[in-house]
Amino acid sequence: MAVSMREVDPAFQGAGQKAGLEIWRIENFQPVAVPKSSYGKFFTGDAYVILKTTALKSGALRNDIHYWLGENSSQDEAGAAAIKTVELDAALGGRAVQYREVQGHETDRFLSYFKPCIIPQSGGMASGFKHIEVNEHDHKTRLFVCEGKHAVRVKEVPFARSSLNHDGIFILDTKSKIFQFNGSNSSIQERAKALEVVQYVKDAYHEGKCDVATVEDGKLMADADAGEFWGLFGGFAPLPRRTSDDNVNGISPAIKLFSIEKGQPVPVAADKLVRQLLDTNKCYLLDCGFEVFVWMGRSTSLEERKSASASAEELSHGPGRPKVQIIRVIEGFETTIFRAKFDAWPRTVDVSLSEDGRGKVAALLKRQGVNVKGLMKASPVKEEPQPYIDCTGNLQVWRVSGNEKYLLSSSEQSMFYSGDCYIFQYSFPGNDKEEYLLGTWFGKESTLEERSAAVSLATNMVESLKSQAVQARIYEGKEPIQFLSIFQSLIVFKGGMSSEYKKFRTENGLEDETYTLEGIALFRVQGCGPDNMQAIQVNPVSSSLNSSYCYILHSGNTVFTWSGSLTTSNNQELVERQLDLIKPNIQPKPQKEGSESEQFWSLLGGKCEYPSQNITREPESDPHLFSCTFSNGNLKISEIHNFTQDDLMAEDVFILYCHSDIFVWVGQQVDAKTRLHALNIGEKFLEKDFLMENLSLETPIFVIMEGSEPSFFTRFFSWDLAKSAMHGNSFQRKLSILKNGLTPILLDKPKRRTPTTHVGRSSLPDKSQRSRSTSFSPDRVRVRGRSPAFNALAANFENPSARNLSTPPPVVRKLYPKSMTPDSPPNVAPKAEAIAALTTSFERPTQTMIPKMTKVSPVTSTKKPETNSKETVNVMNSRIESLSIQEDVKEGEAEEDHGPIFPYERLKITSSNPVSEIDITKRETYLSSVEFKEKFGMTKNAFYKLPKWKQNKLKMALQLF
């Protein structure tokens, strides 16, 4: 669209350059800016143009333009507002969605800008914006009717008993008291939303000083407030039933498509609606009965667009037409509702031309001296993903086999197989209680039977926790940041260990691909740091390589590391760490992209082409909140625009959609049957793809029960803990707040640790601070992760011939001072000697840089032994785990100090002479037993038996956390 500045009203110059609202009123057919102090104040005799600018996560600015028509505004004013809206869109580059808003029939999006409601005032341009002093003795009694569960439409009706009915909610505003009358057929949600209007009326017209009363339909004179209410109407009398709306007959009108030819609508003949019917050089009208869409081709002129808008206005005023919403969309920026009207719509959109058009508009404005900084697309804000969850909790993992689950040892719980399903339970300190995240992980090759069994077992576990746990459903390759940060170091092997996987491969004549130590295996190493790294086994062929990643290739005891040309030293650090877990004690042969050896290519079956682009995960988009109705397997949704915590009603189910994952929030008052289907609701949402974004069915789903909201959910709101802790239905809660007030307990930001150990995302330490096991040099011959003392000790415990080579090697934990925890394993006889040997070899305290994994409490396993080799692995794991330095002190015995000891003054986070090279998440472990008891008032043994959140509170009080 060619834009001439003569066609753009000067009032719109510089508009839409920053996020927020801008409003103009039509005066003498010209837009005049409304002062911000009058935003939300509309007069019934006027027309307005409203611009809402939203800053998106991508860095772009989205514009939505509305023109609002008061019920007493003239048709000429309405036409002028429509034309000025088209001009404003042109000034913004021709990409905004435009909405026609008629008083009393506004869109939910428009009403969301002025929460809780708008109450248009009588009058027009002549009386507008004049502050009229109202004598308190002249207060006019008014009656309003409220409609809507989420967006409330308020209309003033005659103050008469005949205005009342059983279906609506009415607000009677008198001089000294505000009454809310709840019709017997109204819903809890509608009543709760109407209370927000009562609060608005109280604040706006009574300066917050008046009484409030609620009257229930059917309660007569026995109730004092009801008696007073009916007395204002001259006494009680039966209410009439509301007459049916002639405009609503339950029949969807036929959809008609018109092209605009010389300013006139011409019907388009077609068997079905498809995108190919729309020509970029034309404008079209799509008449859907209660909605009329104006589609404007990208190549159309400003005059053609004005003409199409005028045709839509004329169509909406046709005889017998209901109140019509007119929505204008530009080619390439169609709304989801518009696209859903067509049988087929392409999913990809080329918006480069629109960006180019916006640039031309910006250039024109700039030549006129207008600041156009905000008009052009801003650079996207590059944010590192954060888990928003405390990663110092307790983790337990079970492998599902058949219909049973088997607890994994702490050394196995970060090693998954693509052919298996797993259940994980993670407990962590919340704001005032222990919180739980419980979920399932489905490998790509796992069977449907085991996936169903995993969901059933996990659901039972959630119920055993009284539904207080957040339930997650996660697929391999789609893991959310919370999951990766909890596991910190995750290895995914090919094949599977479960009986169902073995059975499936055998019955279908497929080769068992389960990982073996002596076979050829290729691992792609990825992640963003020691607290979030993964090694994924891929096919051992050249095409599996990618220039953006590092890899580990091994064949028996021959090990290669490969660094892509686009990788960094941080990526190579992660390879070193994963080698400690996959192939410890074997020196690798480093390979750099472009200088590989023949042996390397030979193991991969020869050299071939491979990609170089980064395998990016789904980005987090701007969140959307939807109210859900689920019945007989059918899901209906309604979007809540500009949502807040108050929009979450205890009687409803909501979906918070972020593209990369979705949250299903279930209110406390939701019936038990719907609660059981919460996960199905999330799956149905992905299946229906309501936003037409080609959603993956494997997108992570989190099910959250009201009252157990984790910080990675509440971060999307300005969350008030006091509101989430309330009981009762939505109406009762809001009424209590209205009458008694509420002291907010806000969550400004999720709970985090110090920057050096920020949960789920810590930068690699400076080389001067790294332990020997983490420093990287491809030319240095070394045995990763083990000091000489450790190697000598491990040789006494480790019997290579006893290891089951068909399973991954056990994790050998790096040694660092660690106090006894309640889940410490039983004492092993040689441990005291091992500790003595190690402590004498330490010249200084060594900082461990491996991901910290909290051990789970040993549980007496009731699982049946699978094979003798499995027993061997378990014995081997327990031996290796026993090498971790812990204070294995029996209850009542004197505690002994092991490892380095430092004074309290140097361990505090505010110390002027802090200790370096310690595990700063465990500062208390470096206190002597005597000083520990003096500061904490208990022994270390007793301290570690406290819940994690209590431990953290004590540590924070002593400036150790």
Side-chain angles (χ1 to χ4, degrees):
M1 177 183 67
V3 180
S4 169
M5 293 312 300
R6 291 191 298 272
E7 298 176 291
V8 178
D9 197 291
F12 296 142
Q13 292 187 7
Q17 295 189 37
K18 59 182 180 179
L21 272 178
E22 296 172 80
I23 302 177
W24 297 265
R25 186 173 62 167
I26 302 300
E27 299 181 8
N28 297 322
F29 310 113
Q30 298 299 319
V32 176
V34 174
K36 291 187 181 295
S37 60
S38 296
Y39 282 11
K41 183 186 293 184
F42 295 92
F43 291 86
T44 60
D46 289 335
Y48 298 81
V49 175
I50 299 94
L51 170 63
K52 172 66 173 178
T53 304
T54 306
L56 304 178
K57 283 185 176 292
S58 64
L61 293 176
R62 186 189 72 206
N63 301 119
D64 293 289
I65 306 175
H66 307 255
Y67 61 103
W68 185 88
L69 308 176
E71 60 185 4
N72 297 324
S73 61
S74 68
Q75 193 161 344
D76 289 339
E77 287 178 314
I83 292 174
K84 292 303 176 182
T85 299
V86 177
E87 290 183 14
L88 176 57
D89 173 58
L92 295 170
R95 56 191 282 170
V97 179
Q98 305 158 44
Y99 303 84
R100 175 180 184 261
E101 309 285 355
V102 178
Q103 181 181 340
H105 299 272
E106 296 89 352
T107 62
D108 287 359
R109 182 184 294 274
F110 177 80
L111 292 175
S112 72
Y113 306 152
F114 308 100
K115 288 184 176 181
C117 65
I118 60 171
I119 302 180
Q121 302 179 29
S122 299
M125 186 179 65
S127 60
F129 306 113
K130 292 182 180 179
H131 182 71
I132 303 175
E133 296 292 339
V134 179
N135 190 311
E136 62 176 4
H137 300 290
D138 297 333
H139 183 89
K140 178 185 176 183
T141 298
R142 297 182 298 173
L143 183 65
F144 303 97
V145 62
C146 301
E147 296 181 351
K149 284 176 57 177
H150 304 294
V152 185
R153 291 165 182 81
V154 181
K155 179 181 180 182
E156 186 173 355
V157 294
F159 174 34
R161 185 191 298 111
S162 59
S163 296
L164 304 176
N165 59 60
H166 297 294
D167 301 301
I169 297 175
F170 296 83
I171 294 175
L172 181 62
D173 178 23
T174 70
K175 178 181 176 181
S176 60
K177 184 180 285 190
I178 302 174
F179 296 88
Q180 176 171 315
F181 175 81
N182 299 321
S184 56
N185 297 332
S186 62
S187 68
I188 295 293
Q189 298 94 316
E190 289 173 317
R191 299 178 187 188
K193 275 297 177 183
L195 282 175
E196 295 180 8
V197 179
V198 171
Q199 181 70 65
Y200 171 78
V201 172
K202 180 180 178 180
D203 293 338
Y205 301 106
H206 297 268
E207 298 182 346
K209 300 174 183 178
C210 71
D211 294 331
V212 173
T214 59
V215 178
E216 299 298 325
D217 186 8
K219 288 187 178 181
L220 305 182
M221 306 301 289
D223 183 272
D225 289 329
E228 184 179 356
F229 174 80
W230 288 113
L232 294 169
F233 288 93
F236 174 78
L239 297 181
R241 294 186 178 275
R242 186 167 64 176
T243 57
S244 61
D245 191 341
D246 294 334
N247 293 330
V248 181
N249 53 22
I251 301 175
S252 300
I255 298 178
K256 302 175 183 177
L257 181 66
F258 301 87
S259 65
I260 303 300
E261 307 288 348
K262 297 180 180 180
Q264 297 299 318
V266 177
V268 176
D271 294 332
K272 60 180 181 179
L273 284 177
V274 292
R275 170 64 178 84
Q276 289 72 17
L277 293 173
L278 305 178
D279 184 351
T280 188
N281 298 301
K282 294 183 178 180
C283 293
Y284 295 82
L285 300 184
L286 187 65
D287 185 1
C288 304
F290 297 103
E291 296 171 317
V292 174
F293 292 91
V294 181
W295 185 89
M296 295 173 280
R298 199 179 281 164
S299 302
T300 55
S301 67
L302 183 59
E303 286 303 318
E304 288 174 317
R305 296 182 182 187
K306 288 181 179 180
S307 177
S309 297
S311 296
E313 286 286 340
E314 185 177 348
L315 182 64
S316 68
H317 290 95
R321 295 285 306 221
K323 294 291 184 180
V324 174
Q325 288 183 349
I326 298 177
I327 302 173
R328 300 197 289 256
V329 296
I330 308 296
E331 179 184 5
F333 295 92
E334 297 86 354
T335 63
T336 302
I337 296 176
F338 177 82
R339 288 181 283 142
K341 305 292 184 183
F342 288 74
D343 291 337
W345 192 275
R347 296 189 181 275
T348 56
V349 177
D350 178 16
V351 298
S352 58
L353 290 178
S354 180
E355 289 294 340
D356 181 60
R358 172 168 281 218
K360 292 178 180 178
V361 172
L364 288 170
L365 293 174
K366 188 174 182 179
R367 285 199 294 270
Q368 294 196 2
V370 178
N371 181 5
V372 296
K373 181 179 179 181
L375 187 58
M376 293 302 293
K377 180 177 178 179
S379 299
V381 179
K382 189 174 182 180
E383 297 180 352
E384 291 290 348
Q386 301 291 344
Y388 295 93
I389 188 172
D390 190 313
C391 296
T392 63
N394 297 308
L395 177 67
Q396 290 178 286
V397 181
W398 293 262
R399 179 187 293 121
V400 176
S401 185
N403 293 316
E404 302 294 333
K405 67 180 191 297
Y406 300 98
L407 181 67
L408 301 182
S409 67
S410 58
S411 60
E412 296 177 292
Q413 63 186 13
S414 291
M415 298 179 178
F416 286 10
Y417 289 84
S418 285
D420 292 340
C421 295
Y422 296 83
I423 298 173
F424 64 93
Q425 178 178 307
Y426 180 67
S427 59
F428 56 99
N431 293 289
D432 58 354
K433 63 180 179 180
E434 199 80 357
E435 297 184 2
Y436 296 89
L437 174 60
L438 196 152
T440 53
W441 183 90
F442 301 149
K444 290 181 178 179
E445 303 299 324
S446 60
T447 63
L448 293 177
E449 292 77 10
E450 284 195 334
R451 293 181 183 183
S452 298
V455 170
S456 177
L457 291 167
T459 301
N460 292 337
M461 294 172 69
V462 171
E463 292 176 357
S464 70
L465 293 170
K466 299 181 180 179
S467 297
Q468 297 303 302
V470 175
Q471 186 173 358
R473 188 218 63 178
I474 297 169
Y475 282 86
E476 179 186 350
K478 294 286 184 177
E479 295 88 352
I481 183 66
Q482 294 84 10
F483 178 88
L484 298 176
S485 298
I486 289 170
F487 280 84
Q488 299 186 342
S489 176
L490 182 67
I491 303 176
V492 180
F493 298 100
K494 279 182 166 293
M497 303 296 290
S498 71
S499 57
E500 284 295 325
Y501 172 80
K502 303 289 186 184
K503 178 182 176 182
F504 176 82
R505 305 292 292 188
T506 301
E507 290 179 351
N508 290 274
L510 300 174
E511 182 182 354
D512 190 347
E513 297 181 333
T514 303
Y515 170 80
T516 59
L517 278 171
E518 68 273 12
I520 298 178
L522 179 65
F523 294 87
R524 182 180 70 244
V525 179
Q526 59 193 39
C528 53
D531 292 340
N532 181 345
M533 58 181 181
Q534 304 87 46
I536 312 299
Q537 188 178 358
V538 296
N539 292 328
V541 292
S542 301
S543 58
S544 296
L545 298 176
N546 188 311
S547 300
S548 297
Y549 293 92
C550 294
Y551 290 78
I552 297 172
L553 173 65
H554 77 69
S555 176
N557 289 330
T558 301
V559 180
F560 291 92
T561 60
W562 186 84
S563 302
S565 59
L566 302 180
T567 60
T568 65
S569 59
N570 286 359
N571 301 130
Q572 294 154 17
E573 286 276 6
L574 299 185
V575 169
E576 289 291 298
R577 296 177 185 278
Q578 293 293 0
L579 277 171
D580 286 342
L581 305 175
I582 297 174
K583 280 289 185 178
N585 295 329
I586 298 179
Q587 182 64 29
K589 301 177 181 179
Q591 307 284 302
K592 292 185 178 180
E593 183 175 8
S595 59
E596 299 88 349
S597 66
E598 289 297 327
Q599 184 183 10
F600 175 82
W601 291 121
S602 176
L603 289 177
L604 294 178
K607 186 176 181 180
C608 67
E609 292 186 2
Y610 51 82
S612 60
Q613 72 276 13
N614 202 322
I615 305 173
T616 57
R617 296 184 179 274
E618 293 288 354
E620 183 180 278
S621 66
D622 295 274
H624 297 261
L625 183 69
F626 299 91
S627 172
C628 303
T629 303
F630 187 70
S631 178
N632 299 323
N634 296 318
L635 178 64
K636 295 182 180 180
I637 65 169
S638 176
E639 184 168 5
I640 314 298
H641 302 282
N642 297 296
F643 59 85
T644 66
Q645 181 182 356
D646 288 334
D647 290 311
L648 299 175
M649 296 287 189
E651 297 73 27
D652 289 334
V653 175
F654 292 83
I655 286 180
L656 181 65
Y657 164 73
C658 309
H659 193 73
S660 58
D661 40 38
I662 67 171
F663 302 87
V664 181
W665 184 90
V666 183
Q668 289 181 357
Q669 302 293 317
V670 172
D671 62 89
K673 182 178 179 181
T674 303
R675 282 171 174 260
L676 291 175
H677 287 96
L679 188 59
N680 301 110
I681 290 174
E683 293 175 334
K684 184 67 70 172
F685 180 86
L686 295 176
E687 177 187 327
K688 291 292 185 180
D689 193 13
F690 291 100
L691 295 182
M692 302 178 71
E693 293 186 0
N694 198 21
L695 295 180
S696 168
L697 297 179
E698 297 181 355
T699 300
I701 299 174
F702 295 93
V703 176
I704 300 170
M705 297 297 168
E706 182 181 8
S708 299
E709 294 88 353
S711 55
F712 56 85
F713 173 80
T714 59
R715 71 187 182 93
F716 295 102
F717 304 81
S718 294
W719 197 259
D720 186 345
L721 282 174
K723 290 181 179 179
S724 63
M726 297 183 73
H727 297 283
N729 61 41
S730 299
F731 174 71
Q732 293 167 338
R733 297 182 197 184
K734 289 186 182 294
L735 183 60
S736 175
I737 294 174
L738 180 60
K739 289 188 173 184
N740 307 318
L742 185 71
T743 302
I745 306 175
L746 299 178
L747 289 176
D748 294 330
K749 59 179 66 176
K751 191 175 181 180
R752 300 185 183 183
R753 288 196 175 278
T754 54
T756 53
T757 57
H758 180 75
V759 286
R761 176 64 191 172
S762 64
S763 303
L764 289 173
D766 295 336
K767 291 185 178 181
S768 61
Q769 296 178 338
R770 296 177 193 166
S771 65
R772 173 168 42 188
S773 63
T774 61
S775 59
F776 174 74
S777 173
D779 302 321
R780 180 166 60 87
V781 178
R782 47 170 281 205
V783 178
R784 292 172 307 280
R786 297 183 174 184
S787 67
F790 185 96
N791 288 325
L793 285 167
N796 294 328
F797 290 99
E798 207 170 67
N799 180 5
S801 62
R803 179 182 295 172
N804 179 8
L805 297 182
S806 65
T807 61
V811 174
V812 180
R813 301 188 181 278
K814 296 180 176 62
L815 302 177
Y816 60 99
K818 182 177 180 182
S819 293
M820 175 180 171
T821 60
D823 49 1
S824 300
N827 247 339
V828 181
K831 181 174 291 185
E833 299 174 10
I835 293 172
L838 283 168
T839 53
T840 56
S841 69
F842 289 151
E843 297 179 355
R844 60 174 183 170
T846 302
Q847 179 187 13
T848 180
M849 290 309 299
I850 67 166
K852 301 174 293 299
M853 183 63 67
T854 303
K855 286 190 177 183
V856 300
S857 303
V859 178
T860 304
S861 178
T862 57
K863 63 180 180 181
K864 299 177 182 179
E866 296 178 4
T867 62
N868 291 333
S869 61
K870 182 66 178 178
E871 291 179 352
T872 304
V873 172
N874 290 337
V875 172
M876 192 63 229
N877 289 339
S878 66
R879 288 180 177 178
I880 299 300
E881 288 169 9
S882 70
L883 295 176
S884 297
I885 298 182
Q886 300 181 19
E887 294 179 284
D888 295 308
V889 184
K890 295 183 179 179
E891 191 69 38
E893 290 184 1
E895 292 182 323
E896 298 178 4
D897 293 320
H898 301 292
I901 299 298
F902 299 100
Y904 168 74
E905 293 300 326
R906 294 193 63 194
L907 290 170
K908 292 192 303 182
I909 58 176
T910 57
S911 174
S912 59
N913 182 27
V915 181
S916 61
E917 298 187 347
I918 63 170
D919 181 3
I920 62 175
T921 67
K922 295 285 187 180
R923 295 175 184 269
E924 75 282 1
T925 62
Y926 300 95
L927 289 170
S928 67
S929 298
V930 174
E931 194 168 17
F932 187 101
K933 189 169 184 179
E934 177 185 341
K935 296 297 183 184
F936 284 88
M938 65 184 77
T939 65
K940 292 183 180 180
N941 203 13
F943 175 79
Y944 286 111
K945 289 186 178 180
L946 296 174
K948 179 67 74 173
W949 64 273
K950 285 188 177 181
Q951 295 178 23
N952 290 340
K953 280 191 175 181
L954 288 172
K955 289 160 62 176
M956 289 176 67
L958 292 170
Q959 297 183 331
L960 293 172
F961 182 78

